[in-house]
Amino acid sequence: MVTTESIIHVRNMVKKFGGFVANDNLNFDVYRGEIFGFLGANGAGKTTAMKILCGLSLPTSGEIKVAGFDVYKETNLIKRNIGYMSQRFSLYEDLSVYENIRFYGGIYGLSRKLIRERADFLLETLNLSDIRNKLIKDLPLGWRQKLAFSVAIFHKPGIVFLDEPTGGVDPITRRQFWEMIYQAAADGITVFVTTHYMDEAEYCNRVSIMVDGKIRALDTPEGLKKQFAAATMNEVFLKLARNNQSV
Amino acid sequence: MNTILFILQKEFLQVFRNKNMLPIIFLLPVVQLIILVNAATFEMKSIRLQINDYDNSGISRQLISKFQGSPFYNITQAAYTSLDPESSLKKGNCDAILELPHDLEKDLRTKGVVKVQLIINAINGTSGGLTYAYTASVIQDFNGILINEQIRPQNPDKSRTIATTHSFWYNPELNYKTFMVPGILVLLITVISLLLSGMNIVREKEIGTIEQINVTPIKKYQFIIGKLLPFLIIALGELAIGLTIGKLLFNIPMVGSLPLVFGVAAIYISCILGLGLLISTMTDTQQQAMFVSFFIMIVIILMSGLFTAVENMPHWAQVMDLFNPIAHFIKVMRMVLLKGSGFNQILTEIYYLTGLSFLTLGLATWRYRKTS
């Protein structure tokens, strides 16, 4: 259910590393229940912005609220209400599927009983019940990614941040992964996802495109294609990126 | 509290699942303890002494046989020799040369005084000094015999000396191993605690899981307690194993209270774990953490008083050692195990160790940031 209630509120967000401006005056809102695509070339500043929204990094300036909480003062409240899946693989390879779920569930404060029930249900729906005691390192990458996503939303957060979740995954698994994202959105979780696969951008409710630390475009995929007179999101992206190179 | 239990569970699973680390944690220290305690000794049992006897008289041979009879000496050459005396020192064929001059016996009988020369390889100052002391005491002893039996045999009553009677306390057999076991045991648990904790968080940084932890609402203190408690338990277990080996294999005395030893050990290990954690918050790779740990370890171990008495160090070094946790803990181990010192007698050390633990753990907690 996409609403117009702002769950991520960003005004004039700036992040500098010394003299380098990674995020140059970003302004946007993410609405409760939507799938928000956060696009940009490598090094455009997507991951930096996402880390600020997750409370992993402090902005240099700007007014930012996530799930209604301030990123300067209420990072711990933010962390309680979000899930995060990083671009690097984030499960423990030397722990089994179930041990990973139990650990992350545990540090989010879920009871052992609740963890057991939810894990049973999760493994059932993912069709992974028979490998619950297998070590992560023995699983194929696609399964690990799906599992990492499930772990990121295991505590039923309001928002989940996905940082290039489908990097290095085959097209079929990517498709399945996006089905999981839709399911999460249908369950009321707002999804904030970065990617540089432009076909994935088409799956989002709204998309922003970052170039060199600035947000250059923000609209629905249809709106962007119309605005840039392009047939696909790929064309939109190339037009923006090229435009930037000629400047 | 519950959160900490989940972390504990995870850490223990990871430690005991790591097939490469387990032997390093438990087997290596045992092997090291057995080897090091037997090998690291300052006892001098076989000083290689070359005696150049230019006199070849009754008295000179009597003196030589005195050395030959001593278990501390290995006489390499005892005959008259014209060899360059230095060459055998340079080649490393002997540790010291004793030169008995011509007319040794004659001068002794006529003048009553004679000088013999002792040349010692003193590259290692400590063993050089010991060689001198041993040799001087053998000659002193021989002097006594000479005075009593030969020079003034007619009135032995005239020889008056002050005799010292002594008894060695706390280590009556002067067993070096008794002295070394507690110290080496401290080193081993130090190395294990420092490396395990130093590597741990850095490893999570390297594989990227630390970021996943940092986006959770977990509190800093929960994370740090969860990380350190397993290693504290492992290190205390190792201390127990080490003490058992010390008792069974080396028969070291355990005069004092074992609960006191373990109590102070817990404070000490917390301090070292805090140091390891501090290192891991300041480094980005296991390699860097390893380098920093080794550097710190070498300095604090060499200054710890394990090999060289802290009391003999220059004043500034003794002041520095006030901040060296190993120095305090080795002292405690020796005091409690060998002397049976009680809580009140080691109070100063406990104060310092507690202070240092708060310092390292405090700094580590402060440096560990969930938000950069």
Side-chain angles (χ1 to χ4, degrees):
Chain A
M1 248 322 275
V2 181
T3 62
T4 51
E5 179 199 347
S6 171
I7 192 164
I8 300 177
H9 171 88
V10 177
R11 292 292 177 274
N12 310 318
M13 180 166 99
V14 177
K15 176 73 180 186
K16 290 182 189 165
F17 295 103
F20 174 71
V21 184
N23 288 161
D24 189 357
N25 210 25
L26 304 189
N27 288 285
F28 61 90
D29 283 283
V30 176
Y31 303 125
R32 186 182 292 279
E34 75 173 334
I35 300 174
F36 188 86
F38 202 59
L39 275 52
N42 290 329
K46 292 172 302 194
T47 301
T48 306
M50 186 175 237
K51 283 192 173 164
I52 293 173
L53 298 179
C54 293
L56 283 174
S57 157
L58 281 175
T60 310
S61 65
E63 181 198 322
I64 302 117
K65 283 197 168 150
V66 177
F69 301 110
D70 185 69
V71 296
Y72 297 95
K73 293 179 203 122
E74 297 168 310
T75 43
N76 232 33
L77 287 167
I78 292 176
K79 285 172 181 174
R80 203 168 282 284
N81 287 286
I82 62 166
Y84 172 73
M85 177 181 165
S86 74
Q87 103 199 113
R88 289 167 77 188
F89 188 63
S90 52
L91 298 176
Y92 291 95
E93 299 205 345
D94 50 353
L95 294 182
S96 72
V97 172
Y98 181 68
E99 285 160 357
N100 267 289
I101 296 174
R102 182 179 61 196
F103 173 65
Y104 282 114
I107 57 177
Y108 275 105
L110 306 186
S111 72
R112 287 195 185 255
K113 183 165 167 280
L114 192 59
I115 291 172
R116 219 166 328 160
E117 285 168 8
R118 279 199 203 168
D120 287 344
F121 178 74
L122 171 71
L123 293 173
E124 197 80 23
T125 39
L126 286 178
N127 249 335
L128 294 178
S129 294
D130 44 337
I131 57 147
R132 65 186 279 146
N133 294 322
K134 257 200 172 176
L135 298 188
I136 296 294
K137 65 174 169 223
D138 298 328
L139 297 185
L141 182 68
W143 291 20
R144 295 186 194 185
Q145 297 294 78
K146 284 193 253 177
L147 198 63
F149 176 68
S150 309
V151 167
I153 57 170
F154 192 74
H155 59 292
K156 300 203 192 302
I159 312 166
V160 64
F161 291 89
L162 308 173
D163 192 3
E164 290 176 18
T166 52
V169 170
D170 66 73
I172 298 168
T173 315
R174 264 173 62 198
R175 194 40 166 290
Q176 293 169 338
F177 195 90
W178 273 89
E179 280 165 16
M180 290 175 72
I181 292 180
Y182 272 112
Q183 185 56 52
D187 292 343
I189 298 176
T190 308
V191 180
F192 185 100
V193 54
T194 74
T195 177
H196 39 223
Y197 293 111
M198 287 308 139
D199 58 325
E200 292 185 351
E202 311 260 5
Y203 305 147
C204 300
N205 296 113
R206 285 192 310 143
V207 165
S208 78
I209 300 180
M210 267 186 97
V211 181
D212 276 352
K214 292 189 178 74
I215 291 183
R216 284 300 174 84
L218 197 173
D219 204 346
T220 58
E222 289 69 36
L224 286 176
K225 280 185 272 190
K226 209 177 282 172
Q227 186 187 339
F228 289 89
T232 61
M233 280 305 293
N234 209 21
E235 258 179 73
V236 174
F237 185 76
L238 286 177
K239 274 186 179 168
L240 270 170
R242 267 204 209 111
N243 203 8
N244 181 62
Q245 273 171 5
S246 62
V247 171
Chain B
M1 191 53 217
N2 236 324
T3 312
I4 295 175
L5 287 179
F6 278 105
I7 305 174
L8 282 183
Q9 187 175 30
K10 167 207 160 243
E11 294 296 329
F12 270 118
L13 275 173
Q14 286 184 308
V15 168
F16 286 100
R17 198 163 280 165
N18 194 332
K19 295 282 175 283
N20 299 327
M21 280 303 276
L22 268 188
I24 294 181
I25 296 175
F26 289 105
L27 211 58
L28 213 62
V30 173
V31 174
Q32 281 180 344
L33 186 66
I34 294 169
I35 292 175
L36 284 181
V37 170
N38 280 307
T41 168
F42 282 156
E43 277 174 24
M44 305 203 13
K45 285 226 168 102
S46 52
I47 302 168
R48 290 170 307 161
L49 180 70
Q50 174 180 315
I51 303 179
N52 294 342
D53 180 7
Y54 298 100
D55 193 42
N56 212 359
S57 60
I59 287 197
S60 76
R61 266 169 306 199
Q62 230 178 316
L63 180 57
I64 292 170
S65 74
K66 189 107 176 94
F67 279 106
Q68 279 166 337
S70 157
F72 296 108
Y73 291 95
N74 221 340
I75 308 300
T76 54
Q77 194 171 358
Y80 170 81
T81 174
S82 61
L83 276 177
D84 167 21
E86 267 190 70
S87 79
S88 47
L89 267 186
K90 273 189 184 152
K91 275 191 209 144
N93 291 339
C94 68
D95 303 313
I97 298 172
L98 182 65
E99 297 221 289
L100 309 179
H102 278 299
D103 308 326
L104 176 90
E105 186 166 344
K106 194 177 124 210
D107 286 356
L108 200 60
R109 294 202 184 282
T110 54
K111 298 180 191 161
V113 172
V114 70
K115 283 184 173 158
V116 296
Q117 186 183 28
L118 182 64
I119 306 166
I120 301 167
N121 169 12
I123 287 180
N124 180 340
T126 313
S127 71
L130 277 176
T131 305
Y132 169 71
Y134 281 3
T135 311
S137 82
V138 171
I139 293 175
Q140 192 66 46
D141 214 27
F142 185 65
N143 258 340
I145 297 170
L146 276 184
I147 292 165
N148 282 335
E149 291 177 3
Q150 302 200 331
I151 311 297
R152 278 177 292 191
Q154 62 278 27
N155 49 351
D157 300 347
K158 285 264 173 91
S159 67
R160 296 197 182 90
T161 49
I162 297 175
T164 320
T165 64
H166 57 263
S167 67
F168 294 110
W169 280 22
Y170 310 127
N171 185 2
E173 288 150 31
L174 298 183
N175 186 345
Y176 206 73
K177 285 164 194 162
T178 303
F179 178 67
M180 289 309 275
V181 169
I184 286 179
L185 200 51
V186 171
L187 284 202
L188 294 180
I189 60 171
T190 307
V191 172
I192 290 290
S193 328
L194 190 62
L195 288 185
L196 279 181
S197 61
M199 298 299 110
N200 191 281
I201 290 187
V202 176
R203 182 156 163 269
E204 296 226 10
K205 271 190 202 170
E206 273 184 2
I207 57 179
T209 43
I210 192 81
E211 215 169 74
Q212 198 68 40
I213 303 256
N214 285 346
V215 290
T216 69
I218 191 170
K219 300 257 186 340
K220 270 175 156 193
Y221 78 89
Q222 295 173 324
F223 181 70
I224 286 179
I225 293 176
K227 280 282 177 195
L228 293 193
L229 213 50
F231 299 134
L232 178 65
I233 294 168
I234 289 172
L236 284 175
E238 211 148 272
L239 179 63
I241 296 174
L243 284 174
T244 313
I245 292 176
K247 184 78 198 163
L248 295 181
L249 236 58
F250 302 111
N251 198 26
I252 58 159
M254 291 181 189
V255 186
S257 134
L258 278 182
L260 183 61
V261 168
F262 278 91
V264 182
I267 303 175
Y268 168 72
I269 294 165
S270 310
C271 175
I272 296 297
L273 292 175
L275 187 62
L277 210 58
L278 183 63
I279 292 169
S280 72
T281 58
M282 296 193 295
T283 50
D284 293 317
T285 63
Q286 294 191 60
Q287 210 172 25
Q288 290 172 357
M290 191 84 102
F291 266 119
V292 178
S293 309
F294 266 113
F295 176 75
I296 293 178
M297 228 150 38
I298 286 172
V299 175
I300 59 179
I301 286 175
L302 287 183
M303 290 193 64
S304 68
L306 173 65
F307 302 112
T308 47
V310 175
E311 293 76 17
N312 298 345
M313 292 181 188
H315 180 68
W316 56 265
Q318 294 193 33
V319 172
M320 274 172 75
D321 257 337
L322 292 179
F323 301 95
N324 183 350
I326 301 190
H328 292 294
F329 189 51
I330 287 184
K331 206 169 160 191
V332 167
M333 286 279 276
R334 286 178 178 157
M335 285 172 83
V336 178
L337 285 178
L338 308 184
K339 286 201 284 188
S341 304
F343 180 78
N344 286 323
Q345 279 123 4
I346 57 168
L347 213 51
T348 318
E349 276 67 37
I350 292 178
Y351 282 145
Y352 272 107
L353 284 174
T354 311
L356 288 168
S357 300
F358 273 108
L359 186 72
T360 60
L361 285 171
L363 280 176
T365 314
W366 172 71
R367 279 280 321 185
Y368 167 61
R369 266 148 222 256
K370 289 181 69 188
T371 305
S372 56

